[in-house]
Amino acid sequence: MAYIDEVTNRLRRPDFERWMNQASSTGFCAQPVRLVGTTSTFDARTGDQIAHYSSTAEPDGITYVRCGNRRAARCPSCSYEYKADMWHLVVAGAAGGSKGVPDSVGEHPLAFVTLTAPSFGAVHAAKKPGQGSARCRPRARKLCSHGRPTWCMSIHDHDSPAVGEPLCVECYDYESHITWQWHAPELWRRFIIRLRRELAASLGVSESSARKLVRVQFAKVAEFQRRGVVHFHALIRLDGDGTELDPFPSPLVPTSADQLADLARRAARGVEVVAAPLPGELTARSLRWGSQCDARPVYRQVETEDGRLTDRAVAAYIAKYATKATEDLSAGASGTARPHISTIRRIVADAGRIAALDDESDYRLLGRWESMLGFRGHFSTKSRRYSTTLGRLRSARRDWQRKRSQTPTVIDPASADAEETTLVVSQWSFAGMGWLSAGDAALAAESAAAAREWRDSRRSNKPTNNEER
Ligand SMILES: [Zn+2]
Ligand SMILES: [Zn+2]
Ligand SMILES: [Zn+2]
């Protein structure tokens, strides 16, 4: 059947509204999971059946559940939901006063930290306005040992494919680039350890005593720069020593945001990882953060009158990266400045070659991470008590959707726990992935785009609105 006929048929069916409700409860997922089965809810004391839900009552006898894929190329709706969740999570942790994070968190010292890789060789660059010459590399006027110019008089646009490309692929140190990327998560881990140490030293107490007074919480995101190397943005906050009952206490020692930023800069400078030589090499590499590292205090004020950073502005900025970085590198996600394709090819080839050289070496798993250019970390992570969790946000949303659509949650053991006096008996089986026809898929995709547009417009108008959906 032609797809336009499929759309028309769906629209004309008497159960179209119910179908739309189902599609909407998956958030108009691009490739939902199809399930058939039943859920019965009983009163645990009397044994009476309180509710019964069966897929046979649904259009086509199918119940749909969203796929949950974080990659926009696979499912724009589910990846969008993940982004919205990250946004809430980061904002709640920075500003407090939403999603179960108390207002008082807004008074804790907060710093915004950017940690970058060092230079591995000259690359073409797009200049920001007001940073001197707009030309790429106007100064040095000599040839490299391979006879290539070390300067570039071009003015590159930000999305120019040249940006991030080495001026000379033979001068560029791909081996160090890949080694650094491989160890970047370890550099981050040591940065946090070092920060705790700096903090204790600044208080003049031991680390174990310091832990009772002040704790480091963070949310961080990794992003690929155009040269194909990751850098990190993080919000770092100081709390007291939290417990399950009181997860977000204030620190017991007064520390300003400025002091926190100073300590973070010092910690970044002090961190080193000694990386084993690549197969076939003899000397180890000392890996450090690059000189572009930056740590800025974040102030709690509502308006940015004097250009200082505010928590909400920073959280929005971080959240933007949290979401960008989960895009496919190769899929060409829109609006994402991706590393140049030849850089990607070169790094993937080198990573694969290095991994294949010696299956005993520290780098034998490098090939497995080729698609992430040798970066094996998570793109967004946070410490345990930075904010609420994605899981809690999701189950709150499921509860809300269930109330709205009167549909029992299909696979959610957590919701059964929450209602101790009821017993939920479910029996479900997998009936396939995706919408039943191309017409259904098109209807879902169109509704998804409209819903995202609507929510984006609300989000940019009212950043303080907690009721996103
Ligand atoms: Zn999906
Ligand atoms: Zn250039
Ligand atoms: Zn060269």
Side-chain angles (χ1 to χ4, degrees), residues 379-448:
F379 280 97
S380 48
T381 50
K382 52 180 198 53
S383 58
R384 200 159 73 91
R385 292 223 168 91
Y386 170 76
S387 180
T388 185
T389 65
L390 283 177
R392 259 178 248 151
L393 281 182
R394 289 195 183 126
S395 84
R397 181 167 50 239
R398 270 198 300 266
D399 286 350
W400 187 83
Q401 274 174 351
R402 188 169 39 155
K403 277 184 205 121
R404 191 184 57 163
S405 68
Q406 298 298 306
T407 308
T409 308
V410 176
I411 29 176
D412 184 14
S415 74
D417 292 342
E419 296 155 30
E420 284 165 8
T421 55
T422 60
L423 181 67
V424 179
V425 180
S426 292
Q427 192 172 18
W428 290 96
S429 52
F430 177 73
M433 289 291 287
W435 298 104
L436 279 185
S437 70
D440 284 0
L443 272 171
E446 205 163 292
S447 310

Side-chain angles (χ1 to χ4, degrees), residues 34-324:
R34 297 199 298 273
L35 295 171
V36 290
T38 59
T39 294
S40 299
T41 311
F42 300 92
D43 186 314
R45 287 159 305 181
T46 64
D48 293 342
Q49 182 171 309
I50 303 164
H52 179 73
Y53 170 79
S54 167
S55 56
T56 52
E58 299 289 357
D60 309 305
I62 290 166
T63 296
Y64 291 96
V65 185
R66 61 160 67 248
C67 73
N69 203 303
R70 289 180 182 184
R71 297 195 167 177
R74 288 295 196 74
C75 181
S77 161
C78 292
S79 76
Y80 182 88
E81 172 176 279
Y82 169 75
K83 292 171 188 185
D85 283 353
M86 279 303 299
W87 190 84
H88 280 308
L89 201 145
V90 171
V91 171
S98 68
K99 307 289 165 192
V101 180
D103 270 332
S104 55
V105 156
E107 307 295 317
H108 298 194
L110 185 74
F112 181 55
V113 175
T114 301
L115 298 175
T116 59
S119 168
F120 303 111
V123 298
H124 294 279
K127 297 290 168 67
K128 291 186 186 118
Q131 283 192 334
S133 170
R135 297 189 189 282
C136 174
R137 298 181 77 86
R139 269 183 291 276
R141 284 279 181 168
K142 54 178 203 253
L143 299 175
C144 75
S145 58
H146 311 97
R148 299 191 178 99
T150 59
W151 69 92
C152 171
M153 297 304 286
S154 304
I155 297 172
H156 299 297
D157 196 58
H158 275 273
D159 23 331
S160 154
V163 172
E165 281 286 277
L167 269 77
C168 172
V169 289
E170 286 168 281
C171 284
Y172 192 86
D173 186 356
Y174 285 100
E175 286 77 14
S176 292
H177 174 138
I178 289 167
T179 309
W180 191 94
Q181 190 115 292
W182 184 243
H183 291 90
E186 178 62 12
L187 263 173
W188 169 266
R189 197 180 70 84
R190 293 195 192 184
F191 163 72
I192 290 295
I193 293 171
R194 182 80 181 216
L195 179 58
R196 291 197 197 108
R197 215 168 277 166
E198 295 283 352
L199 197 54
S202 78
L203 298 172
V205 298
S206 71
E207 269 179 80
S208 58
S209 307
R211 287 169 71 83
K212 298 191 183 80
L213 304 170
V214 59
R215 292 291 183 108
V216 174
Q217 303 292 346
F218 64 85
K220 87 166 203 299
V221 295
E223 189 211 15
F224 274 105
Q225 291 178 295
R226 292 292 288 276
R227 56 182 171 143
V229 71
V230 287
H231 64 181
F232 296 105
H233 295 292
L235 277 170
I236 298 182
R237 191 184 72 214
L238 296 183
D239 287 7
D241 186 11
T243 62
E244 283 305 320
L245 285 177
D246 182 16
F248 306 105
S250 302
L252 294 178
V253 282
T255 311
S256 70
D258 294 84
Q259 283 170 305
L260 174 59
D262 279 346
L263 293 171
R265 273 192 296 271
R266 202 175 308 163
R269 279 197 299 269
V271 178
E272 182 191 18
V273 170
V274 177
L278 292 175
E281 292 182 339
L282 294 174
T283 45
R285 281 182 177 78
S286 159
L287 307 177
R288 292 177 166 278
W289 298 110
S291 56
Q292 303 290 308
C293 288
D294 181 33
R296 286 189 259 171
V298 179
Y299 302 102
R300 311 318 174 102
Q301 51 187 55
V302 184
E303 300 294 328
T304 43
E305 293 129 12
D306 53 358
R308 298 202 299 178
L309 285 175
T310 68
D311 44 15
R312 196 165 284 281
V314 168
Y317 183 62
I318 278 240
K320 192 181 105 208
Y321 283 108
T323 57
K324 263 172 67 171

